[in-house]
Amino acid sequence: MTKAAPRARRTRRRLRAVLVRLATSLLVIWGAATVSFAALQLTPGSVADALVGTSIVSPQVKAQIIADYGLDRPVLTQYLSYLGMVVRGDLGHSYQLNESVGTAIWAQLGASLQLTAAGMGLALVLATVLALLTAKRSRWIRGVSSGAELVGTSVPIFWVGILLLTVFSFQLGWFPAAGGDGLGGLILPAISMALPVTALLAQVMREGLERALDEPFVLTARARGMSDAAVRLRHALRHALLPVITLAGWLFGLLLGAMVVIEQVFSRQGLGTLMLGAVTGKDLPVVMGVVLLTASVYVVINTLLDLLYLVIDPRLREAT
Amino acid sequence: MTAVTLRAPARERPGIRPGVWAASITLALIVLAAVAPGLLTHGAPHESDALMALQPPGDGHPFGTDAIGRDVFTRIVYGARQSLLAGVGATVLAVSAGTLLGLLAALGGRVADEIIMRLTDVTLSLPTLLLALLVLTITGPGTLNSIYAIALYTMPSYTRLVRVQTMVIRRSGYVEAATSLGLTRAWIVLRHILPNAFAPLLVLATIEVGTALVAASSLSFLGLGARPPAPEWGAMLAGGRDYFSVAWWVAVFPGVAVTLTVLSITVVGRALQRRLEGRG
């Protein structure tokens, strides 16, 4: 069908797909901003009270705060100016930290990126190895590994962290128990983060591998005298990666949630700690800032993944 | 389900797998602990004995005692109610609201469909735990609020499922037949569409109870759900943090409880799923 279509029409169709994608992304970010703004308005008590916090201030000071933040304007005006700020990349001012939300997030971003990247990288490597080793093996190997994966997906992530901490930091003293900036401090948090993700990915990848290993092209490769390892690595693995990409956006959300919890278990700095402090301190601009940022990153990741599909699976380049 | 079931005589129906049996028994025990904790333990969850603080597992205290001498086993047994309630409560809320929205999207015309589905898309594209944190910033921490927060972000998947199911069922022969018989719209939805959309919904919900339970205990661990004196598994782990270096049992057993519960829910849920899909 697509082969018959003239080149111009195909290009137009692809352009349209990209545009729809972009529009949806904008809608998502706009939605997130609106939800955030609504959240601010819905907070019990006035915004000015939240700004003042528990300290007792004179009516004059309160009036000053209201004027500073433009809280005396109609809700619609506030909403529009808030949207304007978001468009300009200005996330507002933290109630608690006395600095802009952007600065606060920027300061914590590095630590969180380090943690999530280490966790994700570890999970990808482990899951690939596990899937390659266990796909289409004897019954009991698969039984043991799928049992382990089931446990891995059921274990609460904070408990994994606590267990690792108890064994390797408190009992054996191999790693620092709290904080830890260097590599030594990153190992246990990364492992706890990787475990549930590994379990999930290994399941999906093994299924993909097993499907791929049933394909005729695998038989052809084997008939050419290719070794089993080479068949798995060179031919089947690429197919097993496709479903992983589909999951990646969802994994990103999982990792972010895990990040909040793991930073607490290991007393680490990062976005999670920043956000948790903001939640308990009712510091909405910071909470909204982190949510908006992650929503935007999510949109970017999903768009990139759509492109990555084309790289991994050349068949799709023709089809779109 | 009282109708005569026609079964192909040659089709073999394999028995329930041993793993599923084990999971069902574990789950039954946990439910028993939630309903009647007094049957499994004689102690009281808040009963403390300073002289018996941080005793390792042994006589009288199978899982040891915590920092103020409360029996860990008793607290875990009593914690089952809170954890199950949070998991089931959040799921029931999410399923009800999701079903309503899904039906509305499928049957309420184009505008309703667009609005509901775009809202669903937005919710789905926000990281789940962060969305819960956003909700809890507004409502403040607490057990009930954390249940609402979890329900809010699990709802979209049910909305989607019900919408799709409804759209498929609406075009089926029996709905057409019911329509031509002159039955009212509400009757058709209640008697024909909902029951048929419900089976896959139930399976998804069963598995999701485990996820919601972990989420609730995570929030408690972060200090945003159930508060420390309450015997909640996540809160117990948070409360015992300072003693993990000297008393491993305070750190280990509440987590075992969460894991076993989620594991058995998942295994039972998947068995249901296989049944539904006719895979054994």
Side-chain angles (χ1 to χ4, degrees):
Chain A
M1 186 173 94
T2 40
K3 251 178 201 161
R7 204 184 171 81
R9 215 163 92 199
R10 215 189 303 162
T11 321
R12 215 180 311 144
R13 199 180 305 158
R14 196 182 297 177
L15 200 69
R16 199 172 161 260
V18 171
L19 280 179
V20 167
R21 174 101 223 165
L22 263 175
T24 322
S25 316
L26 283 179
L27 197 72
V28 165
I29 293 174
W30 170 71
T34 306
V35 167
S36 304
F37 181 80
L40 189 63
Q41 296 296 322
L42 286 173
T43 313
S46 78
V47 179
D49 287 334
L51 288 173
V52 171
T54 47
S55 51
I56 297 157
V57 292
S58 66
Q60 285 86 350
V61 174
K62 204 168 164 183
Q64 185 61 44
I65 290 175
I66 291 175
D68 280 352
Y69 284 83
L71 299 171
D72 48 351
R73 293 173 300 169
V75 175
L76 191 67
T77 322
Q78 285 188 48
Y79 174 58
L80 290 178
S81 81
Y82 178 71
L83 280 189
M85 274 166 60
V86 170
V87 168
R88 276 179 275 122
D90 181 358
L91 295 171
H93 208 80
S94 161
Y95 298 164
Q96 275 186 323
L97 304 169
N98 204 23
E99 59 181 341
S100 84
V101 173
T103 318
I105 289 180
W106 185 248
Q108 303 296 338
L109 201 58
S112 291
L113 273 181
Q114 233 178 20
L115 175 63
T116 29
M120 190 67 212
L122 191 63
L124 264 179
V125 172
L126 284 178
T128 312
V129 171
L130 258 177
L132 281 172
L133 289 178
T134 57
K136 290 248 166 193
R137 298 293 189 202
S138 69
R139 237 185 99 143
W140 72 268
I141 290 186
R142 296 178 53 213
V144 166
S145 70
S146 63
E149 283 152 17
L150 194 60
V151 174
T153 46
S154 304
V155 175
I157 204 165
F158 57 94
W159 187 54
V160 176
I162 289 172
L163 282 188
L164 289 175
L165 208 56
T166 308
V167 175
F168 292 103
S169 295
F170 295 140
Q171 307 287 333
L172 300 173
W174 290 357
F175 299 102
D181 296 324
L183 195 62
L186 194 61
I187 292 175
L188 291 184
I191 293 177
S192 356
M193 190 170 239
L195 187 86
V197 184
T198 307
L200 250 163
L201 281 184
Q203 278 176 339
V204 175
M205 284 176 85
R206 188 175 54 231
E207 223 168 88
L209 263 180
E210 289 183 343
R211 225 175 301 126
L213 287 171
D214 280 335
E215 296 277 335
F217 65 80
V218 166
L219 191 67
T220 314
R222 287 195 202 280
R224 287 204 312 263
M226 201 175 220
S227 74
D228 182 55
V231 167
R232 279 165 193 261
L233 275 170
R234 300 249 309 263
H235 291 280
L237 187 60
R238 193 183 266 246
H239 289 260
L241 281 177
L242 273 179
V244 173
I245 298 179
T246 320
L247 275 179
W250 182 77
L251 273 179
F252 172 69
L254 189 77
L255 282 177
L256 278 174
M259 175 192 82
V260 177
V261 172
I262 285 174
E263 284 177 2
Q264 291 317 297
V265 174
F266 292 95
S267 321
R268 286 175 63 87
Q269 288 294 303
L271 282 183
T273 307
L274 175 74
M275 183 145 174
L276 201 65
V279 173
T280 35
K282 289 211 162 239
D283 193 353
L284 256 180
V286 171
V287 180
M288 295 184 319
V290 178
V291 170
L292 266 181
L293 177 79
T294 51
S296 318
V297 173
Y298 177 85
V299 164
V300 172
I301 285 185
N302 268 332
T303 315
L304 285 178
L305 288 176
D306 280 355
L307 296 175
L308 194 62
Y309 263 125
L310 304 182
V311 176
I312 291 192
D313 192 346
R315 287 173 301 183
L316 293 174
R317 279 175 230 164
E318 284 304 307
T320 34
Chain B
M1 282 288 132
T2 46
V4 183
T5 43
L6 290 173
R7 196 181 295 163
R11 193 177 149 204
E12 218 178 292
R13 245 191 135 78
I16 297 171
R17 300 178 187 190
V20 178
W21 268 116
S24 309
I25 292 168
T26 315
L27 201 58
L29 275 177
I30 294 162
V31 171
L32 180 70
V35 176
L39 286 179
L40 296 175
T41 175
H42 295 302
H46 294 292
E47 192 178 61
S48 64
D49 180 358
L51 292 175
M52 293 294 283
L54 292 177
Q55 292 293 308
D59 271 352
H61 298 293
F63 291 175
T65 60
D66 68 6
I68 55 171
R70 293 174 298 195
D71 183 44
V72 173
F73 177 72
T74 303
R75 285 177 65 72
I76 287 177
V77 168
Y78 276 86
R81 180 177 297 173
Q82 185 121 27
S83 292
L84 276 189
L85 267 184
V88 173
T91 309
V92 166
L93 256 180
V95 168
S96 326
T99 305
L100 216 64
L101 283 177
L103 282 176
L104 209 64
L107 305 169
R110 221 188 123 74
V111 179
D113 190 24
E114 277 297 316
I115 293 175
I116 291 172
M117 290 331 284
R118 289 299 84 75
L119 276 177
T120 304
D121 285 347
V122 170
T123 319
L124 278 176
S125 62
L126 294 173
T128 51
L129 191 74
L130 299 200
L131 193 62
L133 292 185
L134 181 66
V135 173
L136 287 170
T137 317
I138 301 164
T139 59
T143 309
L144 261 183
N145 290 344
S146 65
I147 292 178
Y148 294 147
I150 295 165
L152 181 78
Y153 77 69
T154 47
M155 192 176 64
S157 37
Y158 302 114
T159 308
R160 276 197 175 170
L161 185 66
V162 170
R163 175 175 172 269
V164 170
Q165 289 282 326
T166 309
M167 287 189 152
V168 171
I169 296 167
R170 198 174 55 163
R171 291 194 193 91
S172 66
Y174 56 85
V175 168
E176 199 183 327
T179 316
S180 48
L181 280 174
L183 299 176
T184 61
R185 230 173 125 88
W187 181 259
I188 294 175
V189 169
L190 274 179
R191 282 303 301 270
H192 298 284
I193 294 184
L194 258 186
N196 283 292
F198 217 65
L201 193 67
L202 203 66
V203 168
L204 178 67
T206 313
I207 297 176
E208 287 294 310
V209 166
T211 322
L213 196 147
V214 170
S217 65
S218 305
L219 287 175
S220 298
F221 175 74
L222 293 175
L224 299 171
R227 289 313 188 124
E232 202 274 347
W233 297 334
M236 283 170 74
L237 283 171
R241 287 188 69 160
D242 299 336
Y243 311 101
F244 294 163
S245 50
V246 285
W248 57 268
W249 52 93
V250 183
V252 169
F253 292 114
V256 172
V258 181
T259 309
L260 270 182
T261 312
V262 177
L263 198 61
S264 41
I265 292 175
T266 312
V267 170
V268 171
R270 285 190 183 177
L272 282 177
Q273 194 170 28
R274 282 195 297 272
R275 273 281 149 99
L276 182 75
E277 291 170 359
R279 282 193 281 138

